[in-house]
Amino acid sequence: MGTASKPPGKAMYVAPRTDWDWLRNEQRKLYMRSEKQVDYVFRKLWGLVTDARNLRMALARVASNRGRRTAGVDGITVGHVAKRAEEFVVALRSELRSGAYRPAPVRRVLIPKIGAPGKFRPLGIPTVKDRVVQAALKSILEPVFEADFFPVSFGFRPGKSVHGALEYLRVLLRPKDHKQGPEPRLPYQWIVEGDIKGCGPTPAPRRGTAPIGSGALRSTAGAPSSSSPSRWMVNDHWPERVLGRSDPKPRP
C-alpha cells in the first residue's frame, strides 16, 4: 500500500507531524476501500489532492529528493520555495482549486547511457511547482491503484524492489522433486524477457484521452475541468493521457 513518507531527518522543508499522520490515515482508508469495494467510484479525491496538508507533505517529499537543488525552466529550486513555504502552498492551492493551474514545459537534458558510448537518454526536469503537484497526486492516487496490483508486480511500487523480484524468482525457480525420475527438475523450462525500445523518447503518436478505465476518470468529479489530471499530463514533449483505474480483475 502507498504510504506517506516519513519526515526526513535533514531537508530544506519538513512538514508538520500532524500532516504526516493525517495523510497516512487517509491513505489507509483509500487503500482499504479500494481493496474491499472494487466497483467503488472515488468521487471526492479532488478535495484530498488539494488539501493544504497534502500539498505540504508533497513539498516535503520533493524537498527530500536528491534533485531538490535542480531547477526547472523557471530557475527556481526547492531552497527558494522553502523560504516561503506557507505562502507557496496557499498560492498553489488557490491555483488548483480555481482551475488556473497550468504545468510548465519541462527542462530537457541528455544523460549518457551507461555502456552505450555516444547514446543519451532524455530526461525531463519539471519545475518545483509541478513536482509538488505530481507528488500530491501520487500520494492520493497511489493507495487506490495499489489495491489492484498483483503481489508479483515489483516495478515502481512502494515497498517493492529489484531485490525482492530476484528473491521471488529464486524461490520460484528452485528445483523440485519429480515423480517420474530421481533427478530434481526445474519447474519452468523457458524464461521470456522483453523490453520496449525507446518507450520514453518516442511516445505513441495517438493524442487525446486514453480509455484506461472509468474509475479514476470520474475520481475527480467536482473539480474544474481545466484542473483535470488529463490536462496536467500535457507539456511540450509528451501527449495527453488520463490517469485511470483499471477495470476490476480477479485477485490471485
Side-chain angles (χ1 to χ4, degrees):
M1 154 184 160
T3 55
S5 300
K6 293 183 178 180
K10 292 182 179 180
M12 296 181 180
Y13 175 78
V14 180
R17 177 70 192 196
T18 53
D19 291 352
W20 185 80
D21 292 336
W22 171 83
L23 181 56
R24 187 180 181 89
N25 183 57
E26 292 298 328
Q27 289 177 325
R28 185 181 295 111
K29 290 190 293 186
L30 290 171
Y31 181 89
M32 292 178 64
R33 171 155 284 180
S34 181
E35 182 181 42
K36 294 179 180 179
Q37 299 175 257
V38 295
D39 295 324
Y40 183 82
V41 177
F42 292 84
R43 299 180 182 277
K44 298 182 180 180
L45 298 186
W46 181 242
L48 295 176
V49 170
T50 59
D51 191 288
R53 292 166 290 190
N54 185 43
L55 294 177
R56 284 194 294 264
M57 285 297 298
L59 175 58
R61 179 189 291 260
V62 172
S64 66
N65 290 340
R66 288 186 297 177
R68 58 184 177 270
R69 292 183 174 85
T70 304
V73 294
D74 58 0
I76 297 176
T77 65
V78 172
H80 296 121
V81 173
K83 295 177 181 178
R84 51 181 184 86
E86 281 304 316
E87 178 185 345
F88 170 83
V89 169
V90 170
L92 179 57
R93 184 174 188 273
S94 177
E95 283 188 45
L96 292 170
R97 299 292 294 180
S98 66
Y101 169 78
R102 295 292 186 277
V106 297
R107 181 164 69 90
R108 177 60 58 91
V109 296
L110 297 177
I111 307 298
K113 285 189 175 181
I114 299 177
K119 293 187 177 182
F120 299 86
R121 185 185 306 277
L123 176 66
I125 303 176
T127 63
V128 174
K129 179 192 291 187
D130 292 343
R131 277 180 264 172
V132 171
V133 173
Q134 292 168 7
L137 275 169
K138 180 178 183 291
S139 294
I140 301 304
L141 293 180
E142 186 174 70
V144 175
F145 287 98
E146 269 295 306
D148 282 337
F149 279 106
F150 290 120
V152 295
S153 177
F154 288 88
F156 302 99
R157 295 179 60 197
K160 300 285 188 177
S161 67
V162 173
H163 300 290
L166 292 174
E167 176 61 19
Y168 179 83
L169 289 175
R170 186 188 69 82
V171 175
L172 185 69
L173 299 177
R174 183 181 300 167
K176 299 180 180 179
D177 294 333
H178 196 262
K179 296 181 180 180
Q180 299 180 359
E183 296 294 329
R185 292 183 54 185
L186 292 174
Y188 299 95
Q189 304 302 316
W190 294 89
I191 295 178
V192 179
E193 189 272 345
D195 194 5
I196 301 176
K197 182 179 180 180
C199 178
T202 54
R206 181 187 177 207
R207 299 181 64 86
T209 299
I212 312 177
S214 60
L217 297 182
R218 293 175 292 184
S219 295
T220 53
S225 59
S226 58
S227 297
S228 167
S230 63
R231 289 181 176 268
W232 300 353
M233 298 299 109
V234 182
N235 54 36
D236 60 340
H237 297 297
W238 304 102
E240 183 177 358
R241 288 294 182 266
V242 174
L243 295 174
R245 185 182 181 189
S246 301
D247 295 331
K249 61 185 178 182
R251 306 183 191 280

